[in-house]
Amino acid sequence: MESAPAVIVAIDGPSGTGKSSTSKAVAARLGLSYLDTGAQYRAITWWMVTNGVDVTDPSEIAAVAGKPDIVSGTDPAGPTITVDGVDVAGPIRTQEVTAKVSAVSAVPEVRARITELQRSIAADARTGIVVEGRDIGTTVLPDADLKIFLTASPEARAARRSGELKNADVDATREALIKRDAADSSRKTSPLAKADDAVEVDTTDLTLAQVVECVVGLVEEKRAAK
Ligand SMILES: Nc1ncnc2c1ncn2[C@@H]1O[C@H](COP(=O)(O)OP(=O)(O)O)[C@@H](O)[C@H]1O
Ligand SMILES: Nc1ccn([C@@H]2O[C@H](COP(=O)(O)OP(=O)(O)O)[C@@H](O)[C@H]2O)c(=O)n1
């Protein structure tokens, strides 16, 4: 029997809409690989900060964008991320990296490098892959079999995020999210955007389990039609 063709799923949307949790669960359920592209942009930002690069200067960022070696492990049960062999899963989630990542990810040389890495990881995924980010459906994998664009109200997103961070103030978290989304949506090179052929799912009043069911159903429909 021939094995099923690889299926490529792109999941995009603003921060806190449930991309990572949904993508991991869908990939695990369907036996697919999983790639968190936000973690890659956070990793290159962490490297810039650690190496004293002035992240307010795009030309300084561009000049060293090719230096760090970023490797992503794509098992949805235990995704990993290293920079030059160092495990950075923890350090990439600090407030400092979160505050600086939009500036670094807006630099075209950074996007070109990370996009190439993402495409090669997707091409290597034997059974297929769920790739989550901001520009996967529009730019990185425009021929994906299924594109999902997750949304949720800023209040729901801030409540979810501040639930994860100890002592986080919901209002401050909401303002920070809105600011980062605005930066990500307004940059020139491949901004956060819904692809014309993406299915939009508003997760404000859905549980994570409901979102996962919805996406698994859509992937299965696409697989059946392949
Ligand atoms: N539909 C949902 N309802 C409630 N909480 C959710 C839902 N989806 C995700 N979450 C929670 O919200 C937080 C942010 O989700 P995450 O998947 O990291 O979002 P994103 O990757 O879009 O930033 C996590 O703590 C996650 O468990
Ligand atoms: N495909 C992507 C994914 C993330 N990013 C950038 O990386 C940042 C962090 O992404 P993330 O997915 O870890 O963010 P959270 O929503 O998890 O907080 C975003 O705010 C964007 O600036 C991007 O530019 N393109």
Side-chain angles (χ1 to χ4, degrees):
M1 209 181 97
E2 272 184 44
S3 54
V7 62
I8 306 281
V9 182
I11 302 194
D12 292 297
S15 183
T17 51
K19 296 181 301 298
S20 295
S21 13
T22 303
S23 302
K24 262 187 268 185
V26 168
R29 275 270 292 275
L30 298 173
L32 306 176
S33 299
Y34 159 70
L35 179 62
D36 176 355
T37 65
Q40 296 175 310
Y41 285 104
R42 286 173 177 274
I44 198 163
T45 302
W46 171 86
W47 184 89
M48 301 273 167
V49 170
T50 305
N51 286 279
V53 176
D54 175 3
V55 300
T56 64
D57 181 350
S59 61
E60 205 176 308
I61 294 172
V64 294
K67 284 198 170 179
D69 180 31
I70 297 168
V71 177
S72 301
T74 58
D75 177 354
T80 58
I81 180 108
T82 64
V83 180
D84 299 331
V86 178
D87 175 2
V88 294
I92 63 169
R93 304 285 162 195
T94 60
Q95 281 199 5
E96 184 182 17
V97 170
T98 302
K100 293 179 171 167
V101 62
S102 292
V104 175
S105 71
V107 175
E109 288 78 1
V110 168
R111 298 209 74 79
R113 165 117 204 276
I114 302 282
T115 297
E116 192 189 314
L117 191 58
Q118 292 161 353
R119 288 182 179 147
S120 93
I121 293 170
D124 284 347
R126 200 176 40 83
T127 56
I129 190 164
V130 182
V131 183
E132 54 121 337
R134 302 292 189 289
D135 63 335
I136 311 307
T138 54
T139 306
V140 178
L141 302 166
D143 298 327
D145 297 291
L146 176 67
K147 300 177 186 179
I148 304 284
F149 194 79
L150 296 183
T151 63
S153 71
E155 289 68 30
R157 300 192 286 124
R160 291 174 188 173
R161 272 274 174 264
S162 46
E164 290 175 335
L165 307 166
K166 253 189 255 158
N167 307 322
D169 173 82
V170 183
D171 289 338
T173 305
R174 191 184 60 231
E175 292 319 305
L177 282 184
I178 290 173
K179 197 172 152 206
R180 185 148 58 93
D181 291 346
D184 292 342
S185 305
S186 64
R187 69 176 172 234
K188 277 213 185 88
T189 311
S190 102
L192 161 63
K194 176 183 169 296
D196 291 338
D197 52 351
V199 179
E200 184 165 333
V201 180
D202 182 345
T203 71
T204 307
D205 298 317
L206 299 178
T207 63
L208 175 58
Q210 287 173 320
V211 181
V212 172
E213 277 315 311
C214 166
V215 177
V216 165
L218 290 168
V219 178
E220 279 172 345
E221 266 175 36
K222 291 285 176 185
R223 260 182 168 174
K226 262 189 133 181

